[in-house]
Every structure is written in structure tokens, then in C-alpha cells.
């Protein structure tokens, strides 16, 4: 046991998710990604004097959707506040956010860790606008306001996560859920899904320790490394007689270390006050109910259904529901062929996934109909395992459906008993020593004989018929 095992890591996450709207949260300006700097900036984004914000209805609906899906209390009344600070990429001098009356409180994220389902509770979800982006080049600082006014929700967890791996599992599940809901595209490189990690350490049973906040880490791998590094830094500091100070730290992915950026601000440093330009947000009952009732089946609900109704393992069910393209693919195949879903899951996870370059973003390269056809042929006994693999490989390369391939290549199983009997007799004549051993009880040799038969039939022997005939003839019947 290392000394670090005597410590518990405590993590709370703040996720900023960009809402999938066409226009910004308080104006009609476009949210399109990838434009030249400052191409998507109007008077409101630039914070010119005299302009007034108008709240984007779609952004509210998406925030509600996220809240309902996460089991939050979604409030029909909420408000917007000004968070005041000075920075060149914030032209108004304040960010519009929700401090005192957020749109959602409570709720939880459900995820799988170490073979079991867990949850981490949420404190709140609030809506806010993004700031612009500063780039520093030598003495100059360049400001791009394309992101200014992009609608965000911030999802704040309770400090209930206990390891870097658990933080990653939470984040993956949350990102998957928001994508399945069509609330956020989850693109981490483009900054649509970003995370700040609050990290502290304590000896088990002690009250919470002082936390450091790690800013804007943009990959699952980095988040784990950053938390790991930071927890070890704090433990070493405390064990050598020091104390953790509450501060904001930046993770450097090149060095794998975190470094102090600034001391942590408290809410009063931001001089929050209700934004006088925006009336309180009031969601009418019909809209509220309609949004709540329009949720699709959620990834964790799907996972639970696969375990309960289809008999899949937690592991397989979790893998099949880990990303919307794969999850929707499995659903599409099931809708076309519902027999033996375990076998369908195996084919997808063990065979097809290896040929899917980016399952997080794209569905597998075979149309659901073709895979369903293949599975039906296997189920009906029209293809043995070897033949099915041959057909599958040709489906990948030719993009044709299995029946066309079977017809074109003559890949039908040999089901002619007399033909198989003749071949088996030849095998028995060719291998007298093995036959004698088998008949004395060396059962393992059975697969040797089957192997010989498959060789002679180029893998086309109908598996059941071949097994029965082989057993019969080896017994000398
Ligand atoms: P702020 O917005 O100023 O960062 P919050 O009180 O909203 O402050 O907390 C932000 C996050 O910090 C939450 O996710 C919470 O779970 C987490 N957190 C609070 N205290 C601790 C702690 N002692 N250790 C780890 N995380 C913590
Ligand atoms: Mg924070």
C-alpha cells in the first residue's frame, strides 16, 4: 500500500455544453463554427451601447430538455444575472448568466464504472452566454468574438466523484446523453463540451478539503491525467506540512502538470446582480409539459432495457449505448431482425466494430438491412460460421447484400448427406491411427475430424448435419 492510498480524492465537475441552436442566445447572429474571426458578430455580441438582449426560445427549450432528461427540478420561473469582470474578450464587461434562480436544480448523471451502475447528483444547471476568445501573439492580443453570445448550459455536479476514472465515466455518460437528446453536439475539439474539474483530497472520514479548480480541459484522457497529477500534488503538499490554497489552475497537456493561474474568485468578486434588460423567464405550462413529454428513450434507459428485455450483459449493453450512431444502428438492426439479440450484439461488438473507424461519430459501414439479412440467414441455418464470415468480409468490400453475394459466389452450405458421408469415409480411411484413438476414448480428436471435413468442403459443410454424420460414422454406425 502506498501512502497515497490513505487519501481519498474528491472531485466535482462543472461542464459547459454548447446548445445546438442556429442563432446566439440573445440575438439573431449565427452560431456557425469555423468562420474567419469576427464574422459572426453583431451589435449585441459586441456589446455596443443601447442594444437590448432578446432571449432565444430554442435555447430555453434545449436547457429544459437536458434538465428533464437528467431528472432535475426544471423551474418554470428563472432569472438572468450579470456576472461582472473585465477581460478583453468580454466587451460588455459582464457575462449574462443565472446565479440566484437557475433554470434547473437537482438531478443526477447515471454511468457505469467497474461493472456497476452508479449516479452522481447534480447541484444545478444554468443557462449563460459564452465569451469571446483571446489569442496572444508576442506583445499583441487578438480578440475573436464569434463565440461571444453562444448559448451554453453549465451543469454543476456535487463533489461526489472519487477517482479520475469515475470523472471520465461521468463525463462520457453526460456527453452521450446530451448528444442523444440533440441538445449539444459534444464536439470537444471545437469546444462545444468543456469541463472544469474541482479537486481536493482528504483522509477518509474527514470533512472536505480545500479545492483547486482545473480549467477547460478538452479531452477525456487529459481530464484523468490532470486530476491524477493535481491530487498527487495536493497530497505531497499536505504531507510535507503545507496547505492547499483555493485557486484556479491550468493544466498543461505537454508537461502533464497543473500550474497556478489565479487565486479563486468568490461570487461577491463578480458583483452579481439581476440583469435589468431581461425580464424574468417564465415558461408556460403547455410548453413545459410538451417539452417534458417529448424526450426520446435515453441512453441509460436503453441500456437497462437491453439487460432486462434482451438479456444482454451490462458490459455489452453499455458498449452498445455508448454513442448515438452505434446505439441507433443496433436499434435499426433489431427492428429488422429481432431473433437472438445476443448474437446481433456479438456481431456488432466483436466483428463489425473493428471495421468502424470512428464509432463515436459514424455508424458502422454496413447498412442495417444487410446485417439483419445476414443474421437471418445464420439463424435459419443457411450459413455456418465460416461461410457467414466469408459473406461478411465480402459485404464489407463489395457493399452488396448477403443473398446477392451468396448467389454470386456459391457460398451455400453443403447439406447433401450422401456427399458428406462419402467425404467422411475418405477421412476415416486416411487417418486410421486417429480413428483408433478416438474410438478408445480420445474425444478431443473430434474437432480434428471436423477440421478435415471443413477443409474438404472449403468450409461449406452445414455445421449441424456435418456434426451428426461425423458422430455416427466415427462410432461405426
Ligand atoms: P464556483 O462556481 O465558484 O467554482 P461552486 O460552489 O459552484 O463554485 O462549486 C463548483 C464545483 O466545485 C462543484 O462541482 C462542486 O461539486 C465542487 N466542489 C465544491 N467543493 C469541493 C471540494 N472540497 N472538493 C472538490 N470539489 C468541490
Ligand atoms: Mg467554478
Amino acid at each position: 500500500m502506498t501512502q497515497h492510498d490513505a487519501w481519498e480524492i474528491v472531485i466535482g465537475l462543472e461542464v459547459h455544453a454548447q446548445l445546438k441552436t442556429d442563432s446566439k442566445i440573445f440575438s439573431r447572429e449565427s452560431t456557425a463554427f469555423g468562420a474567419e474571426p469576427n464574422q459572426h458578430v453583431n451589435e449585441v455580441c459586441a456589446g455596443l451601447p443601447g442594444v437590448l438582449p432578446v432571449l432565444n426560445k430554442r435555447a430555453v427549450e434545449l436547457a429544459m430538455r437536458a434538465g428533464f432528461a437528467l431528472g432535475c427540478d426544471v423551474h418554470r420561473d428563472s432569472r438572468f444575472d450579470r456576472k461582472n469582470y473585465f477581460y478583453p474578450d468580454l466587451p460588455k464587461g459582464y457575462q449574462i448568466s443565472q446565479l440566484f434562480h437557475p433554470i434547473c436544480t437537482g438531478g443526477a448523471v447515471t454511468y457505469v464504472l467497474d461493472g456497476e451502475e452508479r449516479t452522481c447528483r447534480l447541484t444545478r444547471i444554468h443557462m449563460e452566454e459564452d465569451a469571446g476568445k483571446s489569442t496572444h501573439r508576442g506583445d499583441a492580443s487578438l480578440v475573436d468574438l464569434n463565440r461571444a453570445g453562444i448559448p451554453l448550459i453549465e451543469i454543476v455536479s456535487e463533489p461526489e466523484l472519487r477517482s479520475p476514472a469515475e470523472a471520465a465515466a461521468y463525463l462520457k455518460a453526460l456527453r452521450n446523453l446530451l448528444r442523444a437528446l440533440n441538445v449539444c453536439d459534444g464536439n470537444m475539439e471545437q469546444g462545444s463540451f468543456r469541463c472544469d474539474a474541482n479537486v481536493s483530497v482528504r483522509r477518509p472520514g474527514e470533512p472536505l478539503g480545500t479545492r483547486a479548480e482545473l480549467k477547460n480541459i478538452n479531452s477525456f484522457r487529459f481530464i484523468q491525467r490532470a486530476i491524477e497529477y493535481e491530487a498527487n500534488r495536493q497530497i505531497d503538499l499536505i504531507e510535507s506540512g503545507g496547505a492547499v490554497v483555493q485557486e484556479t489552475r491550468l493544466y498543461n497537456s505537454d508537461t502533464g502538470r497543473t500550474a497556478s493561474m489565479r487565486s479563486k474568485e468568490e461570487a461577491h468578486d463578480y458583483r452579481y446582480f439581476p440583469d435589468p434588460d431581461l425580464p424574468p423567464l417564465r415558461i408556460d405550462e403547455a410548453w413545459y409539459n410538451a417539452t417534458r413529454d417529448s424526450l426520446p428513450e435515453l441512453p441509460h434507459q436503453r441500456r437497462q432495457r437491453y439487460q432486462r428485455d434482451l438479456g444482454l450483459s451490462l458490459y455489452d449493453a453499455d458498449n452498445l449505448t455508448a454513442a448515438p450512431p452505434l446505439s441507433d444502428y443496433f436499434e435499426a438492426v433489431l427492428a429488422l431482425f429481432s431473433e437472438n439479440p445476443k448474437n446481433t450484439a456479438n456481431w456488432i461488438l466483436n466483428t463489425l466494430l473493428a471495421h468502424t473507424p470512428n464509432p463515436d461519430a459514424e455508424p458502422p459501414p454496413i447498412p442495417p438491412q444487410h446485417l439483419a439479412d445476414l443474421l437471418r440467414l445464420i439463424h435459419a441455418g443457411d450459413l455456418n460460421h465460416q461461410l457467414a464470415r466469408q459473406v461478411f468480409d465480402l459485404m464489407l468490400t463489395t457493399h452488396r447484400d448477403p443473398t446477392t453475394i451468396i448467389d454470386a459466389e456459391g457460398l451455400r452450405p453443403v447439406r447433401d448427406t450422401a456427399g458428406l458421408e462419402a467425404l467422411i469415409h475418405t477421412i476415416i480411411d486416411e487417418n486410421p491411427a486417429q480413428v483408433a484413438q478416438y474410438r478408445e476414448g480420445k474425444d478431443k480428436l473430434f474437432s480434428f475430424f471436423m477440421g478435415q471435413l471443413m477443409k474438404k468442403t472449403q468450409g461449406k459443410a452445414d455445421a449441424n448435419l456435418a456434426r451428426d454424420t461425423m458422430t455416427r460414422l466415427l462410432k461405426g454406425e
Side-chain angles (χ1 to χ4, degrees), residues 172-474:
K172 284 181 187 167
L174 179 57
R175 175 172 173 271
N176 185 21
L177 178 87
L178 296 178
R179 290 175 71 200
L181 287 169
N182 227 354
V183 159
C184 169
D185 69 20
N187 191 321
M188 296 176 83
E189 285 106 68
Q190 294 181 4
S192 319
F193 185 90
R194 322 192 285 259
C195 172
D196 301 340
N198 295 271
V199 180
S200 66
V201 299
R202 66 173 172 187
R203 294 188 171 86
E206 282 181 353
L208 289 182
T210 305
R211 70 184 152 119
E213 185 180 24
L214 313 179
K215 274 283 177 205
N216 275 340
I217 315 168
N218 68 353
S219 86
F220 294 121
R221 195 155 45 98
F222 291 158
I223 198 107
Q224 298 194 65
R225 287 196 195 154
I227 294 171
E228 190 85 57
Y229 174 86
E230 177 58 21
N232 286 329
R233 185 190 71 85
Q234 294 182 11
I235 293 167
D236 290 342
L237 188 63
I238 298 170
E239 287 191 338
S240 60
V244 177
V245 292
Q246 186 162 329
E247 63 182 353
T248 301
R249 297 178 70 85
L250 268 190
Y251 175 69
N252 179 331
S253 57
D254 294 331
T255 62
R257 300 158 75 97
T258 64
S260 183
M261 181 167 113
R262 56 172 187 247
S263 68
K264 173 77 194 163
E265 305 81 357
E266 300 292 338
H268 64 250
D269 294 322
Y270 290 115
R271 301 174 345 270
Y272 276 98
F273 63 88
D275 192 307
D277 290 341
L278 283 158
L281 169 58
R282 176 120 248 272
I283 296 167
D284 75 49
E285 200 176 347
W287 187 31
Y288 182 93
N289 291 342
T291 306
R292 184 192 55 203
D293 298 341
S294 71
L295 292 188
E297 184 180 38
L298 306 172
H300 68 271
Q301 294 169 337
R302 239 179 215 184
R303 184 180 70 225
Q304 290 160 355
R305 176 167 62 84
Y306 292 169
Q307 288 182 264
R308 191 183 58 232
D309 297 352
L310 306 184
L312 301 190
S313 66
L314 173 65
Y315 183 79
D316 284 353
D318 191 36
N319 284 334
L320 283 168
T321 53
L326 191 63
S327 185
D328 293 341
Y329 183 85
F330 182 59
E331 282 294 305
V333 177
L334 277 186
L336 295 163
F337 178 68
S338 59
E339 307 279 341
N340 202 345
K342 265 190 199 171
N343 193 44
T344 304
N346 284 341
W347 269 87
I348 293 178
L349 293 174
N350 302 336
T351 308
L352 192 48
L353 213 48
H355 300 278
T356 310
N358 187 3
D360 187 59
E362 285 160 28
I366 287 178
Q369 182 71 62
H370 291 186
L371 184 64
D373 290 347
L374 180 73
L375 293 166
R376 186 176 294 109
L377 290 163
I378 296 170
H379 192 72
D382 290 337
L383 285 177
N384 64 26
H385 188 71
Q386 275 107 322
L387 285 175
R389 279 305 306 240
Q390 287 182 48
V391 173
F392 174 81
D393 289 342
L394 288 167
M395 284 161 68
L396 279 174
T397 49
T398 65
H399 308 288
R400 288 181 298 174
D401 69 274
T403 309
T404 307
I405 291 170
I406 290 166
D407 290 343
E409 309 289 327
L411 293 170
R412 296 201 181 276
V414 178
R415 276 184 171 155
D416 137 39
T417 310
L420 286 177
E421 281 180 350
L423 289 172
I424 293 170
H425 279 304
T426 319
I427 293 169
I428 289 177
D429 292 344
E430 285 170 358
N431 302 282
Q434 283 87 344
V435 174
Q437 286 174 0
Y438 177 79
R439 286 178 177 162
E440 280 156 22
K442 203 168 173 198
D443 294 342
K444 277 198 296 191
L445 281 170
F446 190 78
S447 52
F448 161 78
F449 294 116
M450 286 297 284
Q452 296 293 309
L453 182 60
M454 282 300 172
K455 226 187 244 172
K456 288 194 192 296
T457 59
Q458 281 96 42
K460 291 185 199 172
D462 176 83
N464 289 331
L465 184 63
R467 208 173 301 117
D468 293 349
T469 314
M470 181 68 80
T471 309
R472 186 160 49 79
L473 295 188
L474 280 174

Side-chain angles (χ1 to χ4, degrees), residues 31-56:
T31 56
F33 179 84
E36 290 294 305
N38 296 309
Q39 293 309 295
H40 296 309
V41 185
N42 63 9
E43 302 81 344
V44 176
C45 316
L48 296 189
V51 298
L52 287 172
V54 178
L55 182 58
N56 181 334

